[in-house]
Amino acid sequence: MLTYYLRLIGQFYQDMRRQKLRTFLTVLGITWGTVAVVLLLSFGQGLKKQALKNMHGLGTNIVVFGGNKTTKAYRGMGTGRWIGLREEDGLLLKASIPEMEYLSPEVNRDVTMCYKRERRLVNCSGVYPGYEVIRNIVPDNGSRFINQLDLASKRRVVFIGNELRDKLFGKGSDAVGKIVTINSIPFTVTGIMMDKTQNSAYMGRDKDGAFIPFSTSKEIFGFRNVNRFICRAEKPIHTPLMRIEIYRILGRKHKFDPEDEEALWMWDTTEGEQFMYYFFLGFQIFLALGGSLTLLVGGIGVANIMYVVVRERRRELGIKAALGATPHMILLQFMMETFLIVTLGGITGFILSYGVVGVFSSPMLENLQKYIGIPEINPLVAASAVGVLGLVGFAAGWAPARRAANMEPVQALEF
């Protein structure tokens, strides 16, 4: 059996030598089609991951909300009432909604931050511990975010963004433990944010911001209402229920209709994430179809060359059939030759694709990767390409192989 297959490969080699130019163009078509499928899917995967990474710079599956004006009458009270939220509202929500994992009030003030002769106008946020988890703010090595003791003791400590650190202290400086002034009040720097990608915000980028304990902010600025609350459910699937409960609980406390969605303004980032998921799913399907059509053109070339091979070898096929070769054996022979051509083009295409992906994954193109992401040939991409190659090979070889297998010996020998 092994000798038989080796002979088939030898025969395939002889056929390809007789059709050098046609074989080269056919393999080139399969190679180009493979490169198109693999690269389009790889770059699409990289772009998807980068877009989600940029979106998660704001936070993962978060809900941001604050007070607004009512638009529905409720229990004898008219419309247009302002719903002002306070810190105790957040404490009530956290205690009443078991699906809520994290919650933090947030107040913002534009302040003047100084270190020696450096002076900057900075957006300063008063927040709770846990805010850094909600917002994907990771402290750099040797630093920390605000903790529970800072909040309870109303400590004058501040956590700052990495670019704000560079502007005040110098690029890459160790600012932890140093004293800055916020509106002429001394604060100790407890931490620096690790660099992150962020393409959306509601009060500026975190890299330029400063964060202090909510209790300290309340004591210094003397506010009563909070600007907003930010929260996250334990699981994304619980987010819709958490939103309903927020309206129900606050509606009961502040006496507004829970169905009045305008009584609170609310931004649910999970909706944007769902949109991005389905958008990129459709986008990748589109790219896969585009690459597959390119590969299909190469498949037409394979079918064409196999028809030529069948025509040139009619007498040989007639002799084989007369000597006892079954249609199944002849069909298998030509299908093997078809898949050898497709495999040769596919392997060449994968090698070229890996080379291109390797170039675009290089650290030298780090700035470009911030926009297009890092392309990757993951198992799904590879399996998709192999699957398409297999279908093209089968479709291209089946008709010529069937024609060869069904050829009558007498007619083949008369040719």
Side-chain angles (χ1 to χ4, degrees):
M1 183 62 71
L2 178 61
T3 304
Y4 173 73
Y5 286 115
L6 290 175
R7 286 178 180 173
L8 286 182
I9 295 174
Q11 182 64 59
F12 165 75
Y13 176 71
Q14 294 299 324
D15 290 338
M16 297 305 102
R17 284 192 64 184
R18 287 195 294 268
Q19 300 286 341
K20 291 180 181 178
L21 180 60
R22 194 188 300 270
T23 301
F24 172 75
L25 294 176
T26 301
V27 172
L28 182 63
I30 293 295
T31 298
W32 178 247
T34 303
V35 169
V37 171
V38 174
L39 288 187
L40 286 174
L41 288 176
S42 298
F43 277 87
Q45 184 75 7
L47 185 61
K48 174 186 175 182
K49 285 194 171 184
Q50 186 64 29
L52 290 175
K53 180 180 178 181
N54 292 344
M55 177 180 288
H56 290 165
L58 176 67
T60 306
N61 299 317
I62 63 173
V63 175
V64 187
F65 65 95
N68 206 2
K69 289 184 178 181
T70 60
T71 58
K72 293 183 179 181
Y74 183 73
R75 295 184 178 179
M77 292 177 284
T79 61
R81 292 184 297 116
W82 177 260
I83 305 300
L85 301 183
R86 298 185 179 180
E87 182 181 10
E88 52 267 28
D89 293 319
L91 298 175
L92 175 63
L93 290 173
K94 188 67 177 68
S96 305
I97 305 177
E99 294 80 12
M100 184 179 288
E101 182 180 20
Y102 291 103
L103 179 139
S104 172
E106 188 175 7
V107 289
N108 298 89
R109 295 292 186 273
D110 287 332
V111 301
T112 300
M113 183 176 288
C114 302
Y115 178 73
K116 295 182 178 178
R117 295 184 179 180
E118 294 295 330
R119 178 186 298 265
R120 290 288 185 274
L121 184 65
V122 177
N123 181 266
C124 181
S125 302
V127 297
Y128 277 1
Y131 179 88
E132 77 280 13
V133 180
I134 307 173
R135 290 289 310 280
N136 288 336
I137 295 174
V138 180
D140 209 343
N141 295 331
S143 61
R144 66 170 179 84
F145 197 73
I146 298 158
N147 61 30
Q148 198 63 42
L149 192 57
D150 296 330
L151 185 72
S153 303
K154 302 179 183 179
R155 286 177 174 172
R156 293 180 180 180
V157 293
V158 60
F159 180 92
I160 62 176
N162 53 302
E163 287 206 5
L164 177 58
R165 179 270 314 272
D166 294 343
K167 293 172 183 176
L168 286 175
F169 300 95
K171 190 171 181 63
S173 299
D174 182 12
V176 176
K178 293 183 178 178
I179 305 297
V180 297
T181 60
I182 297 178
N183 289 357
S184 301
I185 301 172
F187 277 75
T188 302
V189 177
T190 63
I192 313 297
M193 186 186 79
M194 187 177 290
D195 186 36
K196 70 172 180 176
T197 303
Q198 182 182 350
N199 68 348
S200 59
Y202 48 83
M203 287 301 295
R205 298 291 192 269
D206 295 334
K207 62 185 180 181
D208 298 311
F211 306 89
I212 64 176
F214 183 84
S215 56
T216 307
S217 179
K218 190 174 182 180
E219 183 177 70
I220 291 174
F221 300 116
F223 54 82
R224 299 181 65 189
N225 293 336
V226 302
N227 295 122
R228 70 195 68 84
F229 286 98
I230 181 168
C231 61
R232 188 177 78 183
E234 288 184 349
K235 298 178 180 179
I237 196 172
H238 294 153
T239 301
L241 175 60
M242 183 180 73
R243 290 179 55 182
I244 292 172
E245 286 297 290
I246 289 172
Y247 275 98
R248 183 185 68 81
I249 294 168
L250 293 182
R252 182 176 58 194
K253 180 180 178 182
H254 291 275
K255 297 181 174 55
F256 66 83
D257 190 338
E259 301 295 324
D260 185 1
E261 294 188 356
E262 296 301 317
L264 302 174
W265 64 265
M266 187 172 287
W267 179 18
D268 183 357
T269 64
T270 59
E271 295 176 347
E273 194 154 333
Q274 288 177 356
F275 169 79
M276 291 289 286
Y277 172 80
Y278 288 111
F279 171 81
F280 275 103
L281 178 62
F283 182 61
Q284 287 182 296
I285 291 174
F286 172 76
L287 293 179
L289 288 175
S292 300
L293 290 175
T294 305
L295 192 55
L296 184 61
V297 174
I300 294 172
V302 176
N304 183 43
I305 197 173
M306 293 310 299
Y307 271 117
V308 172
V309 170
V310 170
R311 183 176 179 82
E312 289 181 346
R313 293 168 56 186
R314 288 186 67 174
R315 182 174 293 275
E316 174 198 332
L317 294 173
I319 294 173
K320 284 185 176 180
L323 292 176
T326 64
H328 175 75
M329 292 175 65
I330 296 174
L331 179 70
L332 179 62
Q333 174 185 342
F334 281 92
M335 288 300 293
M336 277 190 62
E337 292 186 10
T338 301
F339 276 105
L340 282 172
I341 295 175
V342 173
T343 301
L344 180 59
I347 291 174
T348 307
F350 267 104
I351 292 172
L352 291 175
S353 300
Y354 269 102
V356 173
V357 169
V359 170
F360 279 88
S361 301
S362 170
M364 293 185 297
L365 299 178
E366 185 177 355
N367 290 333
L368 181 61
Q369 290 165 5
K370 292 179 181 179
Y371 302 98
I372 66 170
I374 301 176
E376 60 177 62
I377 303 177
N378 60 24
L380 179 60
V381 171
S384 300
V386 170
V388 173
L389 276 169
L391 289 174
V392 168
F394 182 82
W398 180 253
R402 286 282 296 175
R403 181 180 180 183
N406 294 330
M407 193 176 294
E408 292 294 334
V410 175
Q411 295 176 344
L413 291 170
E414 287 177 352
F415 178 73

